[in-house]
Amino acid sequence: MAIARLEIVARRHQRIAAAPFAEFTVVQVRAGCKRIDDGQRRATITAGDYLAVAPGQLLHVENQPAADGPYKAVCLCVDHDLLGTIQTAPGPAPRAWASLPRDASLDQAFAHAERGLADAVPEALSRHRVAELVTAVGLSGFRPHFDRTLPMRERVRLMLAARPAHEWRADEVAQRLATSAATLRRRLADEGSGFRALLQEVRLAHGLALIQGSTKPLQQVAEECGYASPSRFSARFRERFGEPPSGLRD
């Protein structure tokens, strides 16, 4: 799918350490506020405004409910292959992320892309709507930092993310990438990563999306993330994000 939609509702304050944004993501906050911190910059995105994030970022996130109701936001995530086909207009220097005030063009483009998902429009039309959204984000002042040549760790991440519950092995991934397991491990090490660490990161990122964007029971979430034990999943989740899964649900 060219674009995916995630709706987040939180009735209590959430704090997520180093939340992964694997894809180009545009978030519209609809109630409450979102606070972002990358260790150097901070921003608060209030209801109606937007957050745009380039692929591959880790950001500290806080979701704060409104005084009269829960925090609500909608995230639209654009896959890497599609983003690489969109020609972004010349503009500001690429950045990792930005908070963007709402304006009519961005509101319309976001709503257009979101409606396309709800109406299940054909893939070709969906791509045009995504291009419209990326263009509107650019006109609002954000051009994502984007490397069209994927490093090995990102190629592996995309493969693992397609089936997070699968019992992946390094030799299987290497075969699919037309290389050897030794070469795969060496290239990942050169990029400061490792196969097991990537697999756990992908599974926990998928778990974070399911915990925030669905009402599936913890047992099912754990299974869909490749964990046979909900308690083991919960322990890894808390180690990674600083909150247990229950802390991100009502």
Side-chain angles (χ1 to χ4, degrees), residues 17-25 36-38 40-41 51-61 94-98 142-147 153-154 157 201 205 208 240-241:
F21 291 81
E23 299 171 316
F24 175 61
T25 303
I36 297 294
D37 182 349
D38 66 4
Q40 296 180 322
R41 292 191 294 133
L51 169 69
V53 186
Q57 305 305 311
L58 294 175
L59 302 176
H60 302 300
V61 175
R95 290 182 286 168
W97 62 275
F142 178 73
R143 189 155 61 99
H145 180 274
F146 176 67
D147 185 358
R153 67 178 181 275
E154 294 305 323
R157 189 193 305 275
E201 181 71 21
L208 178 63
R240 173 62 182 80
F241 298 116

Side-chain angles (χ1 to χ4, degrees), residues 13-122:
H13 180 262
Q14 297 178 337
R15 182 182 288 107
I16 306 167
F21 291 81
E23 299 171 316
F24 175 61
T25 303
V26 184
V27 183
Q28 185 185 37
V29 176
R30 296 187 171 171
C33 69
K34 178 184 288 291
R35 297 186 180 92
I36 297 294
D37 182 349
D38 66 4
Q40 296 180 322
R41 292 191 294 133
R42 296 180 179 179
T44 299
I45 298 94
T46 55
D49 293 342
Y50 294 86
L51 169 69
V53 186
Q57 305 305 311
L58 294 175
L59 302 176
H60 302 300
V61 175
E62 293 184 51
N63 298 327
Q64 180 64 52
D68 58 351
Y71 166 88
K72 296 180 180 180
V74 171
C75 311
L76 298 182
C77 308
V78 181
D79 73 35
H80 186 280
D81 290 341
L82 175 56
L83 185 60
T85 67
I86 297 173
Q87 298 296 319
T88 56
R95 290 182 286 168
W97 62 275
S99 58
L100 304 173
R102 70 181 307 170
D103 65 47
S105 296
L106 185 50
D107 283 349
Q108 291 169 8
F110 192 93
H112 205 199
E114 188 180 7
R115 268 200 315 274
L117 289 170
D119 297 342
V121 300

Side-chain angles (χ1 to χ4, degrees), residues 10 36 67 79 86 211 224 227 239:
I36 297 294
D79 73 35
I86 297 173
I211 290 294
E224 291 187 18
Y227 288 86
E239 288 174 3

Side-chain angles (χ1 to χ4, degrees), residues 112-132:
H112 205 199
E114 188 180 7
R115 268 200 315 274
L117 289 170
D119 297 342
V121 300
E123 181 77 8
L125 183 55
S126 176
R127 288 173 177 268
H128 284 290
R129 296 191 178 189
V130 173
E132 178 189 5

Side-chain angles (χ1 to χ4, degrees), residues 157-224:
R157 189 193 305 275
L158 288 172
M159 186 180 297
L160 301 179
R163 298 171 64 196
H166 181 63
E167 290 295 327
W168 290 106
R169 297 289 184 270
D171 54 355
E172 178 186 358
V173 172
Q175 183 178 27
R176 289 170 180 250
L177 293 174
T179 189
S180 69
T183 298
L184 173 66
R185 290 191 176 94
R186 184 175 63 252
R187 290 186 61 182
L188 290 176
D190 290 343
E191 295 172 3
S193 188
F195 179 76
R196 298 305 303 177
L198 271 175
L199 180 57
Q200 178 168 286
E201 181 71 21
V202 164
R203 286 175 166 174
L204 291 177
H206 184 58
L208 178 63
L210 291 176
I211 290 294
Q212 290 193 294
S214 79
T215 58
K216 293 179 179 180
L218 183 60
Q219 174 76 47
Q220 184 177 351
V221 171
E223 290 174 356
E224 291 187 18

